[in-house]
Amino acid sequence: MDANHKMSNTREPQVSDSNSNVQSFIQIKALSKEFNGFKAVDQINLDINKGELFAILGGSGCGKSTLLRMLAGLETPSSGKILLDGEDITEWPAYERPINMMFQSYALFPHMTVEKNVAYGLQKEKIPQSEIDQRVKNILDLVQLGTFSKRKPDRLSGGEKQRVALARALIKNPKLLLLDEPLAALDKKLREQTQFELIKLQEELGVTFIVVTHDQEEAMTLASRIAVMKAGKFVQIGSPTEIYEYPKNRFVADFFGAINIFDALVIDQDDTQITATFDQSELTLKAYTDKTINIGDKVGIAVRPEKISISKDLPEDSNLTTSKGIVWDLAYYGNHSIYRVKTESGQIVQVSTQNQKRSSDHLVEWNDEVYLSWEQNSSIVLLD
Amino acid sequence: MKKRSTAMLTIFSFGFAFLYVPIFLLIVYSFNDSRLISVWGGFSTRWYTALFEDEQIIDAALLSLQVAAISATFATILGTLAGLALTRMANFRGRLFFTGILAAPLVMPEVITGLSLLLLFVSLQELIGWPGTRGAMTITIAHITFSMAYVAVIVQSRMLTLNRSLEEAAMDLGGRPFRVFVDITLPIISPAMLSGWLLAFTLSLDDLVIASFASGAGSNTLPMVIFSKVKLGVTPDINALATLIILVVSIGIAIAGWIMFRQNKSLSQQNT
Amino acid sequence: MAESMTNHQQAFGDLLWRRIVIVLPYLWLILFFLVPFAIVFKISFSDPIVAQPPFTPLFDQSQSFLNWFQGSLNNYLFLLEDNLYWVSYLRSIKVAFISTICCLLLGYPMAYYIAQSAPTKRNVLLMLIILPFWTSFLLRVYAWMGILSTNGIINSVFLWIGVIDEPIQMLYTNFAVYLGIVYTYLPFMILPLYANLERLDLNLHDAAADLGGKPLQVFWDITLPVSLPGVIAGSLLVFIPAMGEFVIPALLGGLDSLMIGRTLYDEFFVNRDWPLASAVASILLLILVLPMVLFQRNQAKSAEETS
């Protein structure tokens, strides 16, 4: 059911800057942050729509947390602007912004009960106590923590703490909720469950979410759009499918799961259509790039392991890209198998196949000579 | 944010000056030729000469050093054992009480500790004839008692950060408890023991009240002599003495700091 | 056979080692710390006599218990009747309390500042706070005599600038006592506070600011309550010893700056009334038991929290 929900959501590829004519809910303009000459965030531009669940993905030290903290008002930008609902909030202090954050370590106040933690934000708004009590009760019920209201944080499990932190950040009805590695501190099983709960909650409340994470799986399952960040800049912005199927460069391709990259030489070029040779194969395909490619350029041809077929005989379809090699290694994972095939040029290619039938027809074995083949449009041209 | 940290820096600097200006002034005064603090009589080292000719001060300093060295050593042994008992011995009977009386000397007003120890010595003398006279011996016992708590606290906190599995590994390899202590624990906690010793030494050297109670007629420690001199007002040769003490302490701290810095460096190198 | 012998010996050795570790320090503390208090308590019930030692024998069996008891509350009754002691106790509490507040007001920002500094700078600053502690306490108190006296540096400077026409009496006043106590015990306040503030999770500040807390509110709502164990530890580490302080009132205080430590010292050394001094000490101890227990519990609790 949850899977269905994910599929039905607006997750088809969409072009990232199609909404330039409508004013976006959040506009980040040329935002930079320098620490002693080091550019943690470098000229970032980003538009996020109302109700979107947006993920910023990157390794540690890529500047994603600094960006998040600038949105929260906890860090002052060196230059640039942040607009929320058309209003310039760049200079607003954290405590005046209608933006709340869920911290990575949760940052629950250790001396306050769950109830007091959650009520804190409302108390700062001088809301009557009776209303506070009601809203605290409602939100604690929403995150299923009603019975824990009198507990102190040190007597909660990781998942409970996470939900308190979420409730505390949501109770003020923020226009924007920032989540810093929301699932990192949970164990694997709890993480998967919480993931779906988060999406459900976000859809129910309609609050705009920005999630920062280093985990590509988390980003893909949670977000409707992802920005991949590296060294203070966005490398690519797009839907999970876009980013997975059409990575802009080697960094993005590598970041999202396994991928085989062949070094190739461009021998012909017509607009975005290029012909390249590698490994004795020749291939014509469309390159998704705004950069111009010239004949003689060296490019990378990338293909995901699950897109490759493995067979003992040469496939007859001439439209397929093929390569020949020897099975170097294979691993059986139950639902799928992974083969590592050494091509004639010596490159190891990873192939993943679904085990749809019982293993009796498990034909390919160690040291078998095999053909690898994939459809032309499964290949991706990578320039850098 | 900026404004707040400026205010903080101001308070910090003020507090800092508050701690150091008096010490600095003592050093300046010690070179003042004039006996009066209000007058600068020119640079002079005559108070240092006077200091070294004052036999009462020399004798008292020697007694203090002797008491401090012996009491620090015993306090380190006992304090280390106590720290060990609290961190490594499974719950023994009276553990809570032990923790209590071990920590009590840390906060006990000196007048009470001093008075009670004197009354103990007097009563013991009455009962068993020991100690015959009160002097270096009784002061030393008194100082061991109140400074072992400090050593215990230092050793205990080191033991708590010490990875227990080191000792368990040694025991697993066949080490008997005592050997494990000597081979594994002792080398690791020795820096803590050294700082404990230094602290006990300093506390002993500095103590006036407990020593006044515990000593008999005729045996005066350095603080007792200093106190009797300064009770009546500012005395220039005490300024000189203070300067010397500050000098020795600063050198000691610098050496200790240097050793610690080098240890930390080699530790962090090992870790990487 | 031989093997089992050595096994026995080894087991005996292990036990012996365990005994030594626990029993040696335990016995020492009982003999030289606990028993003395019992003696103080006992002597506080005896009568002073002109002899050596100057109190009636401790282990006199000739009197019946009742007689002894009636006769021996004298010291306590005397303490109740004589204003001197009341005033001394109350003044000590007042001086220790106000000094503790001053130490807290000065020490908290200092500890906070150190805790917020870069880690390398932090250790140097901390070292500089501890450094005076290693130089003689007595001499540091003495240093203030030269600063505060009528011909001292403060008066000289003020006279020179023309702020005052004649020297102000600062030495031998209550002001000097407060100053001396704050000066001496400030590091005792800063160190436990620092230890606490250093561990403070700065995300808590960010979270509170994010939820709408203004800087000062964040301090009241989060920083202060979370650092409360440090505040308690530091305050008690100042209050308890300040309460029984002798040297500072003796050197910097005037004749009227009576504090109980000094009264006890004088009762003992000047009046040579040992039983009365013991009674004074017993009551002082009674007053301090509460803060001492509080301190112990606070320490145990924060040790539990950190582990």
Side-chain angles (χ1 to χ4, degrees):
Chain A
M1 216 194 81
D2 280 315
N4 284 341
H5 142 88
K6 194 198 134 191
M7 302 300 272
S8 64
N9 206 351
T10 53
R11 281 164 214 250
E12 290 78 42
Q14 51 180 189
V15 188
S16 38
D17 39 26
S18 66
N19 38 33
S20 50
N21 49 346
V22 197
Q23 196 185 47
S24 297
F25 189 56
I26 295 148
Q27 293 169 277
I28 297 173
K29 291 181 175 167
L31 198 66
S32 292
K33 177 69 184 178
E34 274 186 43
F35 293 109
N36 304 322
F38 168 73
K39 281 187 178 159
V41 171
D42 192 4
Q43 295 282 327
I44 290 269
N45 289 295
L46 180 66
D47 286 336
I48 295 173
N49 296 321
K50 196 163 186 165
E52 206 174 350
L53 208 171
F54 191 89
I56 298 167
L57 176 72
S60 64
C62 72
K64 58 186 193 303
S65 290
T66 309
L67 177 58
L68 200 70
R69 289 172 61 81
M70 284 195 282
L71 285 169
L74 298 167
E75 210 80 70
T76 322
S78 308
S79 62
K81 270 189 175 21
I82 302 169
L83 275 75
L84 178 70
D85 224 353
E87 204 167 1
D88 185 351
I89 60 161
T90 319
E91 299 294 322
W92 292 20
Y95 50 85
E96 281 173 10
R97 293 190 188 195
I99 297 175
N100 288 122
M101 177 152 158
M102 195 183 115
F103 289 76
Q104 182 179 1
S105 56
Y106 309 138
L108 298 180
F109 307 133
H111 58 297
M112 295 183 189
T113 58
V114 166
E115 201 176 45
K116 294 247 168 68
N117 260 288
V118 174
Y120 185 82
L122 294 183
Q123 266 154 5
K124 295 300 113 183
E125 282 181 12
K126 309 243 163 24
I127 288 171
Q129 189 60 42
S130 56
E131 191 192 331
I132 294 179
D133 292 342
Q134 192 54 46
R135 279 169 74 176
V136 168
K137 193 182 169 301
N138 290 347
I139 198 117
L140 284 180
D141 286 343
L142 184 70
V143 296
Q144 295 151 30
L145 279 173
T147 51
F148 293 82
S149 58
K150 302 285 182 209
R151 286 212 191 164
K152 289 257 180 90
D154 58 356
R155 292 189 50 228
L156 297 176
S157 73
E160 286 156 5
K161 279 185 195 166
Q162 196 257 6
R163 280 181 281 155
V164 176
L166 190 62
R168 187 178 71 177
L170 279 173
I171 198 167
K172 294 187 79 172
N173 297 329
K175 288 186 170 177
L176 170 64
L177 184 74
L178 308 169
L179 301 100
D180 191 359
E181 304 273 1
L183 308 173
L186 304 177
D187 59 51
K188 196 170 187 293
K189 208 170 167 192
L190 198 56
R191 204 181 306 160
E192 281 169 8
Q193 183 193 336
T194 314
Q195 217 153 279
F196 292 118
E197 279 174 9
L198 260 184
I199 297 173
K200 215 175 113 208
L201 200 65
Q202 194 262 340
E203 284 197 336
E204 265 174 40
L205 299 172
V207 178
T208 312
F209 275 30
I210 297 182
V211 175
V212 148
T213 177
H214 69 277
D215 182 339
Q216 45 98 7
E217 249 176 69
E218 191 175 311
M220 301 229 313
T221 44
L222 279 178
S224 49
R225 273 200 306 153
I226 300 173
V228 184
M229 200 170 174
K230 184 194 176 188
K233 291 187 172 181
F234 286 155
V235 185
Q236 188 172 2
I237 302 174
S239 70
T241 359
E242 262 180 331
I243 288 188
Y244 186 77
E245 301 291 353
Y246 305 98
K248 261 191 183 164
N249 58 24
R250 284 170 196 255
F251 175 78
V252 178
D254 234 13
F255 208 99
F256 282 83
I259 197 157
N260 300 296
I261 301 175
F262 304 94
D263 291 322
L265 186 70
V266 178
I267 53 168
D268 198 9
Q269 180 261 340
D270 175 24
D271 196 20
T272 58
Q273 201 80 9
I274 64 159
T275 306
T277 57
F278 70 95
D279 224 17
Q280 291 146 10
S281 313
E282 196 176 299
L283 172 69
T284 303
L285 74 168
K286 189 171 162 28
Y288 291 86
T289 173
D290 359 305
K291 290 186 188 149
T292 52
I293 304 171
N294 301 313
I295 293 171
D297 279 356
K298 280 189 174 152
V299 294
I301 299 290
V303 58
R304 297 274 178 200
E306 73 277 8
K307 303 275 195 291
I308 304 178
S309 302
I310 189 163
S311 59
K312 284 189 163 180
D313 309 308
L314 183 66
E316 279 163 23
D317 189 346
S318 60
N319 283 329
L320 293 178
T321 312
T322 53
S323 184
K324 199 174 155 196
I326 288 168
V327 177
W328 195 249
D329 203 356
L330 69 87
Y332 176 69
Y333 286 91
N335 60 346
H336 71 285
S337 294
I338 290 195
Y339 300 87
R340 289 158 69 77
V341 176
K342 194 172 190 177
T343 63
E344 282 167 349
S345 64
Q347 185 167 3
I348 302 280
V349 178
Q350 192 169 316
V351 181
S352 152
T353 59
Q354 287 294 318
N355 295 328
Q356 280 177 329
K357 294 174 185 161
R358 284 254 171 111
S359 61
S360 52
D361 55 348
H362 184 272
L363 293 167
V364 180
E365 277 297 341
W366 266 279
N367 294 326
D368 278 358
E369 199 164 274
V370 290
Y371 290 95
L372 304 176
S373 59
W374 62 94
E375 285 176 20
Q376 281 196 354
N377 61 12
S378 294
S379 295
I380 309 156
V381 180
L382 300 174
L383 294 172
D384 46 18
Chain B
M1 279 309 233
K2 271 270 142 57
K3 223 186 282 166
R4 215 153 46 111
S5 62
T6 316
M8 209 76 98
L9 182 66
T10 314
I11 297 178
F12 183 79
S13 312
F14 171 77
F16 216 69
F18 180 58
L19 285 177
Y20 278 91
V21 166
I23 297 173
F24 174 73
L25 286 175
L26 268 188
I27 298 174
V28 173
Y29 285 144
S30 77
F31 295 106
N32 186 1
D33 191 56
S34 165
R35 180 169 276 280
L36 298 168
I37 29 173
S38 49
V39 185
W40 178 254
F43 182 84
S44 157
T45 54
R46 74 173 171 125
W47 304 114
Y48 289 87
T49 324
L51 187 70
F52 286 113
E53 282 164 0
D54 190 334
E55 260 181 47
Q56 196 196 5
I57 283 189
I58 302 285
D59 287 348
L62 288 176
L63 176 69
S64 274
L65 287 172
Q66 181 202 334
V67 167
I70 298 173
S71 68
T73 307
F74 277 94
T76 303
I77 296 170
L78 287 170
T80 304
L81 291 179
L84 207 63
L86 286 178
T87 47
R88 284 300 180 267
M89 298 293 158
N91 278 332
F92 53 89
R93 238 177 304 153
R95 187 198 151 94
L96 198 69
F97 185 66
F98 184 63
T99 322
I101 57 170
L102 183 65
L106 293 174
V107 285
M108 191 59 68
E110 291 166 318
V111 279
I112 298 185
T113 313
L115 174 71
S116 65
L117 275 163
L118 170 64
L119 294 180
L120 171 82
F121 293 138
V122 171
S123 309
L124 278 177
Q125 198 177 0
E126 229 185 310
L127 275 177
I128 58 169
W130 179 91
T133 54
R134 291 193 300 279
M137 160 80 102
T138 48
I139 301 172
T140 307
I141 291 176
H143 284 179
I144 293 171
T145 309
F146 85 89
S147 54
M148 70 183 269
Y150 288 86
V151 181
V153 167
I154 294 175
V155 170
Q156 198 184 348
S157 61
R158 180 73 188 93
M159 294 285 288
L160 286 176
T161 59
L162 176 66
N163 192 344
R164 186 105 211 229
S165 53
L166 282 179
E167 288 155 296
E168 283 167 351
M171 264 186 236
D172 181 60
L173 295 169
R176 296 249 148 209
F178 179 68
R179 284 245 55 96
V180 171
F181 173 73
V182 174
D183 295 341
I184 310 292
T185 320
L186 204 58
I188 298 175
I189 61 168
S190 56
M193 287 170 69
L194 182 67
S195 16
W197 190 91
L198 285 172
L199 184 60
F201 185 82
T202 316
L203 288 170
S204 167
L205 215 54
D206 201 20
D207 167 65
L208 165 71
V209 177
I210 295 175
S212 303
F213 279 100
S215 78
S219 43
N220 288 326
T221 60
L222 192 58
M224 288 160 76
V225 173
I226 295 173
F227 183 70
S228 64
K229 279 184 181 262
V230 302
K231 208 160 41 175
L232 306 167
V234 172
T235 329
D237 47 344
I238 298 298
N239 295 339
L241 179 65
T243 306
L244 286 179
I245 291 179
I246 290 163
L247 187 73
V248 171
V249 168
S250 308
I251 292 172
I253 297 265
I255 292 173
W258 186 67
I259 292 173
M260 255 157 57
F261 174 73
R262 279 197 22 176
Q263 260 181 357
N264 279 347
K265 223 167 104 180
S266 69
L267 264 181
S268 57
Q269 273 166 359
Q270 275 167 23
N271 286 342
T272 48
Chain C
M1 270 300 280
E3 203 175 85
S4 81
M5 271 300 287
T6 49
N7 267 347
H8 264 115
Q9 280 171 350
Q10 280 181 340
F12 179 74
D14 295 350
L15 200 67
L16 186 70
W17 168 238
R18 196 186 142 83
R19 283 281 139 80
I20 288 174
V21 169
I22 298 172
V23 168
L24 216 60
Y26 213 150
L27 269 187
W28 182 282
L29 285 170
I30 288 176
L31 182 59
F32 293 112
F33 194 71
L34 205 63
V35 171
F37 284 124
I39 296 173
V40 169
F41 196 60
K42 180 79 171 58
I43 288 176
S44 72
F45 290 104
S46 64
D47 292 324
I49 53 169
V50 186
Q52 190 60 263
F55 53 87
T56 49
L58 270 176
F59 305 99
D60 186 0
Q61 304 297 327
S62 59
Q63 285 174 300
S64 76
F65 176 77
L66 202 68
N67 276 344
W68 167 83
F69 189 73
Q70 280 176 337
S72 7
L73 280 174
N74 285 343
N75 294 313
Y76 290 95
L77 292 174
F78 185 70
L79 286 187
L80 280 176
E81 282 160 13
D82 196 327
N83 265 344
L84 170 80
Y85 302 99
W86 276 114
V87 172
S88 295
Y89 281 121
L90 289 178
R91 272 200 54 85
S92 294
I93 294 174
K94 182 183 156 200
V95 170
F97 184 75
I98 294 177
S99 308
T100 305
I101 298 293
C102 294
C103 276
L104 187 61
L105 291 179
L106 184 57
Y108 200 104
M110 289 180 79
Y112 193 86
Y113 180 83
I114 300 174
Q116 300 291 293
S117 310
T120 44
K121 197 176 159 196
R122 221 183 276 172
N123 286 337
V124 175
L125 292 178
L126 205 61
M127 187 79 136
L128 286 171
I129 296 294
I130 304 170
L131 201 64
F133 178 78
W134 290 85
T135 64
S136 170
F137 153 69
L138 184 59
L139 290 173
R140 278 183 297 130
V141 174
Y142 159 72
W144 283 100
M145 294 177 74
I147 297 172
L148 297 174
S149 69
T150 38
N151 55 0
I153 186 133
I154 294 182
N155 273 317
S156 306
V157 169
F158 279 9
L159 280 172
W160 184 68
I161 310 174
V163 186
I164 49 172
D165 297 327
E166 53 185 69
I168 323 165
Q169 178 69 41
M170 284 183 288
L171 187 60
Y172 308 127
T173 63
N174 291 332
F175 166 72
V177 176
Y178 284 120
L179 194 73
I181 292 179
V182 172
Y183 172 70
T184 312
Y185 290 105
L186 187 60
F188 289 86
M189 178 64 84
I190 294 177
L191 293 181
L193 272 177
Y194 165 78
N196 189 288
L197 287 170
E198 188 221 353
R199 278 187 280 115
L200 188 78
D201 182 2
L202 286 180
N203 280 324
L204 296 182
H205 286 181
D206 288 345
D210 182 63
L211 292 167
K214 296 188 183 69
L216 213 60
Q217 287 175 333
V218 173
F219 177 78
W220 275 111
D221 296 340
I222 312 298
T223 320
L224 200 60
V226 171
S227 62
L228 202 62
V231 173
I232 293 174
S235 299
L236 290 172
L237 274 181
V238 174
F239 181 83
I240 298 170
M243 178 79 198
E245 186 52 57
F246 162 73
V247 175
I248 295 168
L251 287 184
L252 303 179
L255 283 175
D256 61 329
S257 343
L258 280 173
M259 282 180 71
I260 200 65
R262 199 174 158 199
T263 308
L264 192 156
Y265 193 91
D266 288 347
E267 203 59 64
F268 191 87
F269 286 105
V270 182
N271 296 344
R272 292 191 62 77
D273 190 341
W274 291 17
L276 192 63
S278 298
V280 171
S282 298
I283 291 186
L284 175 57
L285 197 58
L286 208 67
I287 295 174
L288 289 179
V289 157
L290 185 72
M292 280 179 189
V293 169
L294 209 66
F295 178 73
Q296 291 266 353
R297 284 186 47 181
N298 182 60
Q299 291 304 91
K301 213 175 134 193
S302 40
E304 207 175 279
E305 269 163 22
T306 44
S307 65

